Amino acid sequence: MMEDIEDLLVGNGGVAPGFRLPVASVGLNPRKKTKRHLEKQPLVPDPLQSLIIPGTQTIYIKTFGCSHNQSDSEYMAGQLSAYGYALCEDPEEADLWLINTCTVKSPSQSAMDTTISKGRAAKKPLVVAGCVPQGSRNLKELEGVSIVGVQQIDRVVEVVEETLKGHEVRLLNRKTLPALDLPKVRKNKIVEILPINVGCLGACTYCKTKHARGHLGSYTVDSLIRRVRTVITEGVREIWLSSEDTGAYGRDIGVNLPVLLNAIVMELPSNGSTMLRIGMTNPPYILEHLKEIAGVLRLPCVYSFLHVPVQSGSDAVLSAMNREYTVKEFGTVVDTLTELVPGMQIATDIICGFPGETDEDFAQTVGLIKKYKFAQVHISQFYPRPGTPAARMKKVPSNVVKKRSRDLTAVFESFSPYDGMEGQLERIWITEVATDGVHLVGHTKGYIQVLIAAPENLLGTSAIVRITSIGRWSVFGEVIEFFNQENKNVSSNEIKSSYERCSSCADANGSCAKQPEDHRHKHFIRWLLRKRKNTVGAENAAALGAKGTEEWTQVHGSMAERAFVDKTLVAGMTVSFLIVVALLLQFGFQNVIFV
């Protein structure tokens, strides 16, 4: 029987979500000096403990799992950095490893085991965080390491400090939600992953995450709005709402997702510089709010994209999973959003080989995927997670599970979801560098990935691009015009007016139907410099192809040098022109006097 850890928001004296209780002293469990522990993780010798200065060490953080886990890691990194600890990407250079784990699938937990083994072999002090220790605290792999629970990330500094001293620290008891205003070091400086709630209301028979994250606990609307205002002032250009089930937000505190979404969009800049992405939501909790959510998804500042897992196309399998909806109800979600939101894109998930899945059940799943031809489908094989009801069900033979996964993947990859986009003009929001180190990644209103050749200083900007070619997973674009990214505080009426202006010029696909304005007649020299810079940048990026980031940096530096030379030449031409004008005026004046 698993230990009872479902104490979220219980016994806290009525503390509201989004607020912290006073931090109590950390409980320490000095490691027993047994031979086994000395071999696994040697204690720091007593004479050296006095030499350890907290906040002077280097920390390596490894994150597994979902965006919520990524946000937790960013919060922990922010607190450690604020306390003076250095963060590094090279595990060999670190004095301590912080491993943030995921328990959704067996491969994720196996990767955690491998990382812990490597840390022990390298004699590194280890702190393990995330869903694995929270949901399975007695795992053999966790012996001799410090643990920080998913609700205790605001105390990571204490845990790290004591671990560096040779103590084993375990903080797993839940008290309240970690505050949203903790220091944070974002992996992507312009993307804020904003957790709006933890846990969920469901009881899926295969899910281990519920054991770790617990029952639903929502942050208050006010606390989330304060966070949105803060990150916008910090230059964030994309906000991801993240949770185990976004659609269930607020049901524990008397509000709902549409209330939160409408409050957030009123805080976003009216020029469209900052976009909102709504996170994963299960079908049951958005069915009653479909029209309201569609209204939000139509707004210019919200991506027309939603991740709605279906998991199976068979009602019998959905019932065995305890998913609390039918295939028809999932279809209602997809059909309604597709009808009401121009250019709507929906991603979904499928589990192949769930216990009891027959050939007919699988055929129904294939039929569902063929019907909707989703551009994004996350296909996984069933992994029994210890402690879940599904782990005790009769399994489908592994060879059958693997074959079904391959077959469904082949069906999915046969689609060409971006056919017809070539030549279209799309507005994109540029947020990251592509894996090739050369292109930048932008997303359309429907969150379709667009790769462009452009310098990194354009990250965080928005642009009009012409789609030049299409691929299976993304499309390529040519920049036509960049938008001005200056932000300013505006009233609610101005924001509403902006939505109406932008919506009125959108085409049937939700894209900007207006041709980019040509500013050459307004300021020829400024246009010429910008045009030359963009052209040179595109040519250099194309010439580099898939070369390394070091060469791209060199090219980027040479572009900056060219820009300086260009401006110097223009300045010289301007001065020369003024001198000539002055001489002509002087010469003309002298001629008049002489006559």
Side-chain angles (χ1 to χ4, degrees):
M1 183 73 177
M2 178 168 294
E3 294 182 55
D4 181 14
I5 58 173
E6 304 299 324
D7 56 355
L8 177 63
L9 300 178
V10 175
N12 296 329
V15 177
F19 296 92
R20 281 190 296 171
L21 291 174
V23 177
S25 59
V26 63
L28 304 180
N29 295 317
R31 296 175 187 158
K32 296 178 181 179
K33 297 184 179 180
T34 62
K35 183 177 179 181
R36 179 181 181 186
H37 274 293
L38 288 172
E39 290 174 350
K40 279 190 171 183
Q41 188 72 21
L43 289 172
V44 179
D46 288 341
L48 295 180
Q49 287 193 15
S50 61
L51 300 178
I52 295 177
I53 303 175
T56 61
Q57 293 79 19
T58 300
I59 311 296
Y60 166 70
I61 301 178
K62 176 67 176 178
T63 305
F64 298 97
C66 65
S67 61
H68 197 161
N69 253 24
Q70 181 62 50
S71 178
D72 285 352
S73 288
E74 292 176 355
Y75 272 123
M76 289 189 285
Q79 294 171 85
L80 291 167
S81 180
Y83 196 76
Y85 290 100
L87 307 176
C88 71
E89 298 290 335
D90 186 353
E92 298 301 320
E93 295 179 0
D95 298 302
L96 177 143
W97 292 8
L98 172 57
I99 306 166
N100 196 1
T101 62
C102 173
T103 191
V104 172
K105 300 178 184 178
S106 296
S108 298
Q109 189 162 327
S110 297
M112 175 207 75
D113 297 342
T114 300
T115 305
I116 290 176
S117 297
K118 289 180 179 178
R120 285 192 170 119
K123 295 182 171 24
K124 302 288 186 180
L126 301 174
V127 175
V128 179
C131 294
V132 172
Q134 188 74 68
S136 305
R137 64 182 72 184
N138 294 321
L139 282 177
K140 181 181 178 181
E141 290 78 9
L142 299 177
E143 291 180 4
V145 303
S146 290
I147 290 173
V148 57
V150 295
Q151 298 293 317
Q152 300 279 12
I153 61 172
D154 55 349
R155 299 178 66 182
V156 67
V157 172
E158 299 169 77
V159 177
V160 166
E161 181 178 339
E162 295 301 331
T163 303
L164 286 167
K165 292 178 181 178
H167 298 127
E168 179 184 335
V169 184
R170 295 202 164 199
L171 290 179
L172 288 169
N173 293 330
R174 278 191 276 261
K175 295 185 180 300
T176 188
L177 300 178
L180 293 171
D181 60 354
L182 295 170
K184 196 171 192 179
V185 175
R186 300 184 191 91
K187 187 175 181 181
N188 186 331
K189 294 181 179 179
I190 59 176
V191 175
E192 166 73 4
I193 303 173
L194 180 61
I196 63 173
N197 56 264
V198 300
C200 66
L201 294 174
C204 300
T205 55
Y206 57 84
C207 183
K208 183 78 171 178
T209 305
K210 180 68 176 281
H211 294 181
R213 295 284 183 179
H215 197 66
L216 181 68
S218 302
Y219 285 94
T220 62
V221 174
D222 287 344
S223 65
L224 291 165
I225 292 302
R226 286 195 298 270
R227 182 63 184 172
V228 168
R229 289 171 180 164
T230 298
V231 301
I232 289 175
T233 63
E234 293 172 351
V236 160
R237 291 290 178 258
E238 194 165 287
I239 299 173
W240 298 0
L241 302 187
S242 177
S243 78
E244 284 63 59
D245 187 354
T246 303
Y249 169 79
R251 288 174 177 254
D252 56 321
I253 57 174
V255 294
N256 56 45
L257 183 60
V259 169
L260 174 64
L261 296 178
N262 283 298
I264 290 177
V265 297
M266 298 307 289
E267 300 295 331
L268 301 181
S270 62
N271 62 1
S273 60
T274 302
M275 294 293 288
L276 179 68
R277 193 184 87 169
I278 304 173
M280 186 274 288
T281 179
N282 288 311
Y285 305 112
I286 60 170
L287 277 166
E288 63 188 87
H289 301 302
L290 281 178
K291 290 186 178 180
E292 295 95 328
I293 292 174
V296 174
L297 290 168
R298 284 197 298 267
L299 295 175
C301 59
V302 183
Y303 286 118
S304 305
F305 170 83
L306 202 58
H307 178 194
V308 187
V310 62
Q311 305 299 8
S312 175
S314 162
D315 283 338
V317 173
L318 290 178
S319 178
M321 292 178 172
N322 197 27
R323 289 289 288 170
E324 301 179 338
Y325 59 86
T326 64
V327 174
K328 182 178 180 180
E329 288 172 328
F330 171 78
T332 298
V333 172
V334 176
D335 294 339
T336 302
L337 293 180
T338 302
E339 177 186 355
L340 297 180
V341 184
M344 183 69 196
Q345 295 284 319
I346 293 178
T348 195
D349 300 346
I350 295 291
I351 297 175
C352 290
F354 187 81
E357 182 185 66
T358 65
D359 289 341
E360 175 59 27
D361 293 328
F362 179 67
Q364 291 174 10
T365 298
V366 172
L368 181 72
I369 299 303
K370 285 183 175 179
K371 175 182 178 180
Y372 287 110
K373 292 182 171 59
F374 299 105
Q376 297 181 41
V377 179
H378 308 106
I379 300 170
S380 63
Q381 301 173 28
F382 171 74
Y383 294 101
R385 306 300 294 130
T388 63
R392 299 188 295 270
M393 298 178 182
K394 185 177 180 180
K395 299 175 181 61
V396 176
S398 60
N399 62 319
V400 175
V401 176
K402 292 177 181 177
K403 183 178 185 304
R404 288 176 181 173
S405 177
R406 289 194 300 268
D407 291 347
L408 187 60
T409 300
V411 170
F412 166 63
E413 292 183 348
S414 68
F415 306 149
S416 299
Y418 306 130
D419 279 353
M421 286 190 68
E422 195 166 352
Q424 287 185 0
L425 293 180
E426 296 278 353
R427 183 174 181 177
I428 65 169
W429 289 264
I430 306 165
T431 56
E432 60 184 311
V433 180
T435 53
D436 63 9
V438 175
H439 293 86
L440 298 186
V441 178
H443 292 94
T444 67
K445 175 81 163 59
Y447 212 69
I448 297 171
Q449 181 173 272
V450 181
L451 302 179
I452 61 171
E456 287 188 30
N457 61 0
L458 295 178
L459 287 170
T461 65
S462 179
I464 293 291
V465 299
R466 178 179 288 109
I467 305 302
T468 57
S469 62
I470 61 173
R472 176 60 185 83
W473 312 108
S474 58
V475 300
F476 290 83
E478 171 191 23
V479 175
I480 304 299
E481 183 77 18
F482 286 100
F483 282 87
N484 181 10
Q485 296 299 322
E486 293 180 0
N487 292 323
K488 58 181 180 180
N489 294 324
V490 294
S491 67
S492 300
N493 289 334
E494 288 177 304
I495 293 176
K496 182 178 179 181
S497 175
S498 173
Y499 292 155
E500 293 171 349
R501 288 197 306 273
C502 188
S503 299
S504 66
C505 72
D507 61 20
N509 294 318
S511 305
C512 184
K514 289 185 178 180
Q515 292 289 337
E517 185 179 359
D518 190 346
H519 296 285
R520 275 175 277 190
H521 66 282
K522 292 184 177 179
H523 203 310
F524 174 76
I525 293 178
R526 184 181 300 168
W527 173 86
L528 185 62
L529 290 176
R530 186 174 70 245
K531 188 73 173 176
R532 183 172 187 267
K533 179 180 179 181
N534 290 342
T535 303
V536 170
E539 290 173 351
N540 280 322
L544 279 174
K547 293 183 180 179
T549 55
E550 182 178 351
E551 291 174 274
W552 173 254
T553 303
Q554 293 173 355
V555 170
H556 197 176
S558 67
M559 289 174 62
E561 292 172 4
R562 281 197 199 92
F564 176 76
V565 172
D566 288 344
K567 291 177 181 177
T568 303
L569 288 174
V570 170
M573 292 168 60
T574 303
V575 171
S576 299
F577 175 75
L578 293 175
I579 292 173
V580 170
V581 170
L583 290 174
L584 289 174
L585 290 174
Q586 180 67 19
F587 179 75
F589 179 75
Q590 289 178 349
N591 284 345
V592 170
I593 297 297
F594 179 77
V595 173

